[in-house]
């Protein structure tokens, strides 16, 4: 991570589905929202995968602050998010992998890969252990925005990787696997629900 990376004990990864052609306006709406308890870390629009989605990653200093803001969203329909354009909103709460904080603001990549894996029951501890052993080696090939594990909904992990372009992504992933140190040896704990989205940073994203 960058030296100026913020450190938060709680994260929210929101997925906003908006009508076709409204992503720029929805992003502008999000950017014009008043200050909230959450710190905006990244905002991306899907480019490969399910389209018309906006992904918003925010950090929170307290669980109470996160819950208060979420309750306001659910009760009043007013929140940080672009409600004027929203068709669907999913809010997921995460904790960072031990020893990790989100990357600081600045240029990291022209594309970002957002990956989510659902885990089998009991799979979190061995997954965290496997990642702790191999993540330092993997980060020699490319940087990581953040790796998170859920504390609501199905047990799952989410990780976000920046790349210069799709060619670099393919090359780096192949080199990491060929090195013999990646992926982590925890595949027995993964379900078949594994998703990957390629997204582009939006105009308001601190990570560009």
């Amino acid at each position: 991570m960058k030296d100026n990376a913020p450190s938060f004990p709680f994260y929210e990864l929101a997925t906003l589905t908006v009508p076709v052609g409204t992503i720029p306006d929805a992003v502008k709406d999000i950017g014009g929202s008043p200050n909230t308890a959450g710190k905006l870390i990244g905002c991306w629009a899907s480019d490969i995968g399910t389209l018309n989605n906006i992904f918003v990653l925010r950090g929170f200093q307290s669980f109470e602050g996160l819950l208060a803001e979420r309750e306001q969203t659910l009760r009043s329909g007013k929140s940080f998010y672009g409600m004027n354009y929203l068709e669907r909103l999913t809010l997921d709460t995460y904790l960072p992998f031990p020893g990790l904080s989100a990357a600081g603001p600045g240029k990291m990549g022209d594309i970002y890969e957002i990956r989510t894996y659902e885990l089998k029951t009991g799979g979190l501890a061995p997954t965290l252990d496997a990642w702790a052993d191999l993540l330092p080696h993997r980060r020699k090939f490319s940087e990581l925005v953040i790796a998170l594990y859920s504390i609501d909904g199905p047990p799952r992990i989410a990780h976000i990787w920046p790349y210069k372009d799709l060619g670099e992504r393919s090359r780096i992933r192949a080199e990491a696997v060929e090195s013999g140190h990646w992926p982590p040896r925890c595949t027995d704990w993964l379900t078949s629900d594994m998703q990957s989205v390629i997204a582009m940073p939006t105009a308001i994203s601190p990570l560009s």
Side-chain angles (χ1 to χ4, degrees):
M1 305 301 166
K2 297 182 179 180
D3 292 338
N4 60 345
S7 179
F8 297 100
F10 303 98
Y11 291 87
E12 179 184 80
L13 182 58
T15 304
L16 294 70
T17 302
V18 299
V20 176
T22 65
I23 284 180
D25 291 331
V27 167
K28 187 182 297 184
D29 200 17
I30 295 170
S33 299
N35 292 332
T36 67
K39 174 69 173 180
L40 179 62
I41 296 169
C43 180
W44 305 275
S46 60
D47 187 64
I48 299 177
T50 303
L51 300 180
N52 303 308
N53 278 349
I54 301 171
F55 304 94
V56 181
L57 178 66
R58 293 194 293 166
F60 288 80
Q61 290 293 355
S62 73
F63 191 53
E64 291 76 16
L66 188 155
L67 287 182
E69 195 155 311
R70 184 165 298 179
E71 183 175 12
Q72 176 181 320
T73 299
L74 297 175
R75 284 182 176 270
S76 69
K78 297 178 181 179
S79 75
F80 176 82
Y81 302 109
M83 291 298 185
N84 293 329
Y85 304 93
L86 199 58
E87 289 187 342
R88 183 181 181 188
L89 175 64
T90 301
L91 301 171
D92 295 314
T93 310
Y94 288 93
L95 301 183
F97 277 32
L100 289 183
S101 60
K107 183 73 173 179
M108 293 194 73
D110 293 323
I111 66 168
Y112 288 74
E113 183 175 21
I114 303 171
R115 300 177 71 91
T116 57
Y117 302 159
E118 187 171 318
L119 305 176
K120 298 176 183 177
T121 301
L124 179 59
T127 297
L128 292 177
D129 289 343
W131 274 65
D133 289 340
L134 296 184
L135 188 55
H137 180 82
R138 173 61 179 82
R139 287 175 61 189
K140 294 178 182 177
F141 293 90
S142 66
E143 193 49 274
L144 170 69
V145 172
I146 191 67
L148 306 161
Y149 63 93
S150 66
I151 57 172
D152 52 16
R156 62 200 181 283
I157 61 173
H159 37 117
I160 304 174
W161 302 85
Y163 298 100
K164 179 180 178 181
D165 52 38
L166 290 175
E168 182 184 72
R169 171 190 173 272
S170 297
R171 175 181 59 79
I172 287 176
R173 287 180 57 81
E175 290 176 353
V177 172
E178 289 172 2
S179 73
H181 296 285
W182 196 259
R185 307 298 190 264
C186 55
T187 53
D188 289 345
W189 292 104
L190 301 179
T191 73
S192 59
D193 189 348
M194 305 169 68
Q195 301 181 27
S196 172
V197 174
I198 299 297
M200 314 290 285
T202 65
I204 66 168
S205 182
L207 291 174
S208 59

